[in-house]
Amino acid sequence: MNRTEVPPGTARAVRVGAGDLVRVIDVEGGQVGDVFAFTGSGRELTEHHSAAHTRAGIDRLFPAVGESFVTDRRRPILTLVEDTSPGEHDMLIPACDPARYAALGAPGHRSCAANLREALAEAGMGFTGPIPQPINVFMRIPVGEDGRLSWLTASSRPGDAVTLRAEMDCVIVVSACPQDLVRISDAGLSPLAIETVHNGGNPA
């Protein structure tokens, strides 16, 4: 098992093969994470997880355990195999970006969009397209009966985790979301961790 620490407000990238398990862990509890998944050949990534295509494929806002996330080419890329958290996650909200923080009066603030490109660059990879809508683990954005969205603080506890199985060779990027102007993460920012197990072994 390999473990990669994701410091608060930053992101890290890991490469995994088909059948590998990836566990995203909320180390201290209450921290939202943006998860991105890409596939492609060489240094340039060309295909990515798509929230919209996943919702269309599963007929729900977020996969249940045993269901898959798919790419913009409608191919399964990750399957949710275990969730020890309260099970509140999101695929409606885009990654925070410089324009979001400028609108909130905080230009220059770190963002998940910038974190993604930094993490890929540090790993020697590039993605030139628009930032994909992420898998927002531990993020609570319930939809009311009137269709309005509520921005609630994450309820995940220390050590809570989601475990994903890679359905193809891919690159996973996890950003410990730096959003501290809207209180989606509890009690400030805290780290996440990525555990990977090759060939579908048990990450415990």
Side-chain angles (χ1 to χ4, degrees):
M1 180 185 71
N2 297 318
R3 183 180 175 99
T4 301
E5 302 294 334
V6 185
T10 71
R12 297 291 184 269
V14 297
R15 280 192 178 275
V16 295
D20 291 352
L21 296 181
V22 181
R23 179 177 285 172
V24 181
I25 304 166
D26 188 352
V27 177
E28 297 180 8
Q31 174 62 46
V32 168
D34 286 31
V35 180
F36 304 88
F38 298 85
T39 186
S41 58
R43 294 165 57 89
E44 187 65 26
L45 304 173
T46 56
E47 184 178 357
H48 58 81
H49 158 261
S50 168
H53 291 83
T54 297
R55 292 193 302 266
I58 61 174
D59 295 325
R60 65 171 79 230
L61 293 177
F62 197 90
V65 171
E67 294 182 331
S68 294
F69 302 87
V70 302
T71 72
D72 52 330
R73 299 179 187 175
R74 301 184 189 269
R75 300 196 300 163
I77 187 169
L78 299 170
T79 297
L80 180 61
V81 297
E82 185 180 27
D83 184 359
T84 64
S85 79
E88 297 171 302
H89 312 287
D90 167 75
M91 285 198 309
L92 294 175
I93 303 302
C96 58
D97 54 28
R100 170 69 161 154
Y101 290 108
L104 291 172
H109 196 288
R110 291 196 66 88
S111 70
C112 286
N115 285 350
L116 169 63
R117 296 204 190 277
E118 288 178 8
L120 290 175
E122 289 173 1
M125 292 170 281
F127 180 72
T128 58
I131 300 296
Q133 189 169 350
I135 301 166
N136 294 311
V137 294
F138 315 126
M139 188 171 182
R140 298 172 67 200
I141 308 288
V143 181
E145 291 184 1
D146 61 356
R148 293 189 65 84
L149 304 179
S150 297
W151 295 67
L152 304 182
T153 303
S155 62
S156 47
R157 303 150 300 198
D160 278 352
V162 293
T163 303
L164 307 164
R165 183 179 65 242
E167 301 301 340
M168 60 179 75
D169 295 352
C170 57
V171 176
I172 307 294
V173 178
V174 176
S175 175
C177 184
Q179 176 59 273
D180 54 4
L181 304 178
V182 177
R183 197 181 173 194
I184 56 172
S185 293
D186 191 26
L189 305 180
S190 59
L192 298 175
I194 312 166
E195 290 181 351
T196 57
V197 178
H198 297 299
N199 301 318
N202 185 350

